[in-house]
Amino acid sequence: MTSRLMFRVLGALVAFALLARIPVGFDVGFKFDAALAVIWAFGLLSLVLLTGYVGQISLCQATFAGVGAYTAGMMVSSADVDYLVAVIAGVVVAFALGVIVGLPALRLRGITLAIVTLGIALVFDRYIFQDHAFEWFTGGTGGWRVGQATMFGLRMDSSTHLMAAYLVLLALFCLVALLLVNLHESGAGRRFRAIRDSELAAATMGVNLTRYKLLAFGMSAAIAGMGGSFYPLVAGSVSPQPFWLFTSLQFAAIAVLMGVRYVPAAALGGAFMAFVPDVLTRYGHGTFMGHAYEISYDWFQIAVGVLLIVQLIALPDGVWGDLRSRVRHARSAAGAVGGRRVKVA
Amino acid sequence: MAAFAAYTIIGLSLGGIFSLAALGIVLIYRTTGVLNFAHGAMGMFSTFIAWQVFYGWSHPFWPGWLSTFLAVLAALIFAAGMGLFLEFAVFRWVRSREPVVKAVITIGVLLALQSAASLIWKNNQYHLPIYLAPQQWVWVVPVADVPIGANSIAIIVVALALAFGLGAFLRYTSFGRAMRAVSDSPTSASLWGVPVGKVGAVSWMLGSLVAALAAILITPFINFDTTSLTLLIIDALAAALIGGLVSLPLTVLGGFILGLLETYPTIWIQSIGFPRLVALVVILAVLIVRNPRGFSVAAK
């Protein structure tokens, strides 16, 4: 184990230990937000792989999460399996869908790929998740209800054992994030980045474009689906609303806003996406200088849109990327890293 | 047979709206290189301005045509202002960036406009549609016994007139020639003294106007709220892709074909989501059959 890998494992463990303790003292609403934050962070992490590493655009990541959620919900509600099996099934189905979505991506790139994935997100949102023809998959208008579920033989459900679900989610997230950070310099990661920089050059160097693009889409969908498959456990039921088109668009917007090339930005974005709307609706009403005001969820989405525009004009590398380069710059200016000290006689 | 003819009328009206919306997308894309995902949202916001004037602010004693006229006028003025604002506040600053970055910026515009409208006019509320011509004006075609509403005719006529009008504007006026020059190559156009910035501003204004018109016209056909009009974008993009994001006549044709393709299945399949699947299949078919590299020629 190289020292770099050890450092990263240590970082993941410390992050897990810190984040695991944070929601303990809060009420059930914030505990739910914490679990939701990890679910959304999985969705953003899937974009770090797909867009940040491989350079492919996708506007249907919430669809992958939704397919994972519905698969897991269906498994638990109708077959009453252990939740671990349901999660595995959700990830497998999301992976398969990701590979299918990746097929048109073999011929498309850039905006045309964005159009196609937008269409896919819309078809799943308006048709598959809502139409009567797919009730066997979506559980009808009420969706699947997950009252009691067990994982590794432990009880986990939304009402009383939310923290257990949160811990499992968080541990999985830290693991996947660690794997993604390590993927960056691995052989597959180098091939991915070669595809991002130039598909033509990558193909010339012997990278199998078909295999690696499909793999990227499948892996990305599997990551989003892994988060999504925990949604029924955390929320107690599945409905189309959390996985509709606008969540997909928010994923894309927040991933770019936070810095689509950086793994920690996904965690930051997940927390942003789960906590800010809830805090706004909880505390965002009252009176100010005699005028009653109320801040609703819509303000969050307005803020995301406006921040995205400002960020793309001013900070192209995202919030995390900008912070990172500022810290690097300050440190090298202080002579701590990289700043070669030249001896002057 | 009568049902088939009636669905044809609906399909053609929808197609007219799709081609209108797509015209705006093609116009903006050709001259500024921005693929505008917020096109539906921009039309939606202007439509709500019209709705506000028509149902909120007009006086009950005014004649109906005056309210309609004022509503559409207000929406169009607002749309022109919004197009200019977006060009000057946002897209002027990213002119040299890759097309993908510009497209992602329009997603930001989409999110902001959609939630702002939902904040003002409430998302899940039923809104009465805006009729350009009175609903009672219906003609029955004698042979096929098909009723044709004046609204359907208005939509088809407006769509065709705008398509030909835009085409003529681009072809025969000097400003239209400037726009075509910019769409071929902004750099060489600016070397020849074409005001590239002005051309961009005018395209945004025109595109926004056309989007507003399309969105107002579609309100009688769909359950109209902030999201459904925003999602008009996918049909408009499908029609625009049929025209290769370049050709105006092909775009209009594509819009009408898409409208018919989306309407005929509803004879047998009662589903609000199925037409979206048709649009996706059309998009995939166009993109896979045509060489997608062809589109990068138009991309700047």
Side-chain angles (χ1 to χ4, degrees), chain A residues 270-319:
Chain A
F272 178 69
M273 205 167 158
F275 282 106
V276 174
D278 192 39
V279 169
L280 278 182
T281 41
R282 260 193 213 207
Y283 303 111
H285 52 82
T287 49
F288 178 72
M289 294 174 71
H291 293 281
Y293 66 91
E294 189 166 349
I295 298 172
S296 74
Y297 176 79
D298 289 320
W299 284 102
F300 170 70
Q301 199 172 300
I302 295 180
V304 168
V306 173
L307 283 175
L308 177 71
I309 296 167
V310 173
Q311 174 256 324
L312 277 174
I313 294 174
L315 317 167
D317 209 13
V319 172

Side-chain angles (χ1 to χ4, degrees), chain B residues 13-261:
Chain B
S13 322
L14 265 184
I17 295 159
F18 293 162
S19 35
L20 265 184
L23 280 177
I25 290 179
V26 172
L27 191 71
I28 293 175
Y29 183 69
R30 273 184 66 174
T31 48
T32 63
V34 179
L35 188 70
N36 188 9
F37 281 102
H39 205 67
M42 287 164 67
M44 178 271 297
F45 209 94
S46 311
T47 303
F48 270 100
I49 298 287
W51 183 88
Q52 185 65 41
V53 173
F54 193 83
Y55 289 105
W57 293 338
S58 39
H59 200 278
F61 294 122
W62 291 350
W65 62 266
L66 183 65
S67 304
T68 315
F69 176 75
L70 286 178
V72 173
L73 189 69
L76 291 183
I77 291 171
F78 179 84
M82 176 166 58
L84 285 178
F85 173 78
L86 281 177
E87 158 69 14
F88 284 110
V90 179
F91 291 101
R92 180 141 296 197
W93 307 98
V94 290
R95 190 176 289 148
S96 54
R97 307 277 288 275
E98 311 97 274
V100 172
V101 174
K102 298 187 207 171
V104 173
I105 289 181
T106 64
I107 291 174
V109 176
L110 185 161
L111 289 174
L113 280 178
Q114 198 268 335
S115 38
S118 134
L119 193 68
I120 303 171
W121 290 288
K122 302 292 171 278
N123 192 12
N124 296 318
Q125 205 169 309
Y126 176 73
H127 298 283
L128 285 168
I130 299 155
Y131 295 99
L132 280 200
Q135 253 179 300
Q136 301 85 350
W137 290 8
V138 174
W139 287 282
V140 178
V141 178
V143 188
D145 195 29
V146 181
I148 302 178
N151 272 295
S152 300
I153 294 174
I155 289 167
I156 297 171
V157 167
V158 168
L160 287 177
L162 261 179
F164 283 108
L166 266 182
F169 172 69
L170 287 182
R171 178 157 299 197
Y172 298 117
T173 65
S174 59
F175 199 82
R177 200 176 303 122
M179 285 173 90
R180 284 188 293 140
V182 172
S183 85
D184 285 343
S185 161
T187 318
S188 35
S190 70
L191 282 177
W192 282 96
V194 173
V196 177
K198 208 165 162 190
V199 165
V202 170
S203 337
W204 270 99
M205 197 177 71
L206 281 178
S208 176
L209 280 175
V210 176
L213 213 53
I216 292 174
L217 287 170
I218 203 177
T219 54
F221 288 86
I222 56 174
N223 191 0
F224 129 68
D225 58 27
T226 53
T227 48
S228 61
L229 283 179
T230 304
L231 300 183
L232 182 61
I233 179 69
I234 203 74
D235 306 301
L237 281 172
L241 282 178
I242 292 177
L245 292 176
V246 182
S247 155
L248 294 184
L250 275 182
T251 300
V252 174
L253 186 69
F256 281 111
I257 291 173
L258 186 72
L260 291 174
L261 282 180

Side-chain angles (χ1 to χ4, degrees), chain A residues 48-290:
Chain A
V48 170
L49 172 64
L50 194 63
T51 309
Y53 288 11
V54 199
Q56 309 294 309
I57 295 188
S58 165
L59 299 178
C60 63
Q61 294 306 108
T63 305
F64 297 137
V67 166
Y70 275 113
T71 308
M74 182 173 72
M75 294 287 282
V76 172
S77 304
S78 52
D80 201 25
V81 295
D82 189 88
Y83 208 85
L84 188 65
V85 180
V87 169
I88 292 170
V91 170
V92 168
V93 172
F95 182 87
L97 181 67
V99 171
I100 294 171
V101 171
L103 286 175
L106 293 177
R107 277 180 67 94
L108 309 174
R109 65 182 65 85
I111 13 182
T112 47
L113 189 56
I115 297 173
V116 168
T117 50
L118 181 81
I120 289 167
L122 193 58
V123 165
F124 270 83
D125 171 9
R126 292 285 133 140
Y127 187 49
I128 294 181
F129 289 165
Q130 295 195 15
D131 199 83
H132 294 300
F134 297 93
E135 273 183 357
W136 56 272
F137 182 60
T138 59
T141 41
W144 302 108
R145 303 203 71 77
V146 179
Q148 292 191 338
T150 54
M151 195 171 197
F152 318 114
L154 295 169
R155 282 213 44 206
M156 279 184 202
D157 51 60
S158 56
S159 48
T160 47
H161 297 75
L162 199 52
M163 278 306 286
Y166 170 70
L167 287 183
V168 174
L169 258 173
L170 191 63
L172 265 179
F173 181 81
C174 289
L175 183 68
V176 174
L178 188 66
L179 289 175
L180 266 194
V181 172
N182 276 320
L183 177 73
H184 196 258
E185 280 107 34
S186 71
R190 278 200 301 273
R191 291 186 186 97
F192 281 154
R193 283 183 288 145
I195 293 175
R196 178 187 70 194
D197 293 340
S198 161
E199 287 187 14
L200 199 61
T204 314
M205 296 302 288
V207 175
N208 185 337
L209 281 186
T210 309
R211 181 191 297 169
Y212 279 94
K213 274 177 123 176
L214 290 183
L215 186 67
F217 266 90
M219 279 167 63
S220 167
I223 293 172
M226 186 182 284
S229 61
F230 277 90
Y231 188 86
L233 184 69
V234 170
S237 65
V238 209
S239 54
Q241 174 81 14
F243 306 108
W244 67 334
L245 177 74
F246 288 96
T247 313
S248 285
L249 293 180
Q250 278 192 11
F251 272 155
I254 294 176
V256 172
L257 174 64
M258 292 299 167
V260 78
R261 282 164 54 208
Y262 305 100
V263 169
L268 192 68
F272 178 69
M273 205 167 158
F275 282 106
V276 174
D278 192 39
V279 169
L280 278 182
T281 41
R282 260 193 213 207
Y283 303 111
H285 52 82
T287 49
F288 178 72
M289 294 174 71

